[in-house]
């Protein structure tokens, strides 16, 4: 299947879920998660109209951002953040979905250049309290949100979650519903937030049903991230 075919399939699945679950028209944004794929694949997708790309690995992302800078794409950092990486993130990305401690937010704020627009921030919540996963627990959310909001050059946009791996749709649905509740609570204090970043290739429709405003889609667009993908071949 070609990238073009996959792209139009994903777009029509989003539209279909939007309709089926009574979500407003054009209320769900597609973030193309392009980790491991070469710049040529991203360029192909950009030529089909995709503007927003998500990357997890800084070094790899910086190379692609440089190679594709003429295209004026919108770059989202979605991976775990080490504090020695914040400068490059603040200088090269438009969004960060994975902020989960105040120290990271402070560094991003201080390192964002004065002549750039505010860096858009989502706070990552460890929604299923998994020991190994990034993200804060829900009872830390309000405090971190206030801290982000108070920092210059950052704009709080919402929250990001990755539910625990499970094959049970009901469990996923519960995680998404929980995230939606937290999002709505947060919006009472911060009425400008607009982003509930949840849903990946395997659970996109459920996430949309439960209120996602931004789905992060990798393999359904680019194909499986198998190891011998250096050629960027999509089957
Ligand atoms: C890799 C990744 C995705 C995309 O996953 P797919 O299953 O390939 O759609 C989404 N979000 C995050 C945080 C990721 O690391």
């Amino acid at each position: 299947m070609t990238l073009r075919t996959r792209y139009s399939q994903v777009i029509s699945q989003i539209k279909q879920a939007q309709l089926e679950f009574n979500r407003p028209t054009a209320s769900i944004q597609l973030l193309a998660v392009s980790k491991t794929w070469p710049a040529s694949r991203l360029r192909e997708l950009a030529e089909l109209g995709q503007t927003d790309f998500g990357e997890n690995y800084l070094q790899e992302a910086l190379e692609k951002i440089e190679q594709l800078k003429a295209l004026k794409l919108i770059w989202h950092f979605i991976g775990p953040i080490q504090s020695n990486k914040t400068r490059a993130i603040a200088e090269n990305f438009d969004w960060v979905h994975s902020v989960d401690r105040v120290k990271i937010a402070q560094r991003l704020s201080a390192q964002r250049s004065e002549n750039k627009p505010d860096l858009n921030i989502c706070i990552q919540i460890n929604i299923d309290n998994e020991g190994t996963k990034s993200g804060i627990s829900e009872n830390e959310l309000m405090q971190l949100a206030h801290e982000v909001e108070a920092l210059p050059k950052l704009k709080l946009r919402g929250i990001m979650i990755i539910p625990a791996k499970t094959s049970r749709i009901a469990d996923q649905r519960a995680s998404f519903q929980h995230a939606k509740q937290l999002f709505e609570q947060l919006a009472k204090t911060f009425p400008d937030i607009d982003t509930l970043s949840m849903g990946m290739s395997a659970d996109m429709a459920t996430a949309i049903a439960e209120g996602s405003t931004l789905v992060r889609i990798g393999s359904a667009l680019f194909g499986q991230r198998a190891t011998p993908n250096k050629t960027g071949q999509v089957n």
Side-chain angles (χ1 to χ4, degrees), residues 33 35 56 78 160 162 200-202 216-220 225:
V33 175
K35 63 184 173 212
N56 297 57
I78 62 174
M160 188 271 261
I162 308 170
M200 319 203 308
S201 296
R216 308 179 309 268
I217 306 299
S219 48
R225 288 179 297 275

Side-chain angles (χ1 to χ4, degrees), residues 3 19-20 25 27 29 33 47 50-51 55 58 65 78 86 107-108 118 129-130 142 157 168 194 211 217 223 229:
L3 187 55
L19 203 63
E20 186 177 344
T25 310
S27 60
Q29 207 190 338
V33 175
E47 280 164 2
Q50 180 64 23
T51 51
E55 291 279 340
L58 183 62
I65 292 172
I78 62 174
T86 52
R107 293 176 64 96
L108 291 170
D118 290 355
N129 299 310
E130 295 172 274
M142 267 304 160
R157 297 295 296 264
R168 293 194 53 222
D194 57 6
I217 306 299
N229 67 6

Side-chain angles (χ1 to χ4, degrees), residues 23 29 41 46 55 68 70 85 90 100 102 123 130 135 161 186 220 235:
R23 301 287 311 279
Q29 207 190 338
R41 297 257 90 185
E55 291 279 340
L68 299 173
K85 302 286 168 63
D100 65 357
V102 68
I123 292 174
E130 295 172 274
I161 64 136
L186 195 65
N235 303 314

Side-chain angles (χ1 to χ4, degrees), residues 182-193:
L182 294 175
F183 178 72
E184 284 176 346
Q185 270 170 29
L186 195 65
K188 286 186 190 146
T189 309
F190 304 99
D192 290 344
I193 65 167

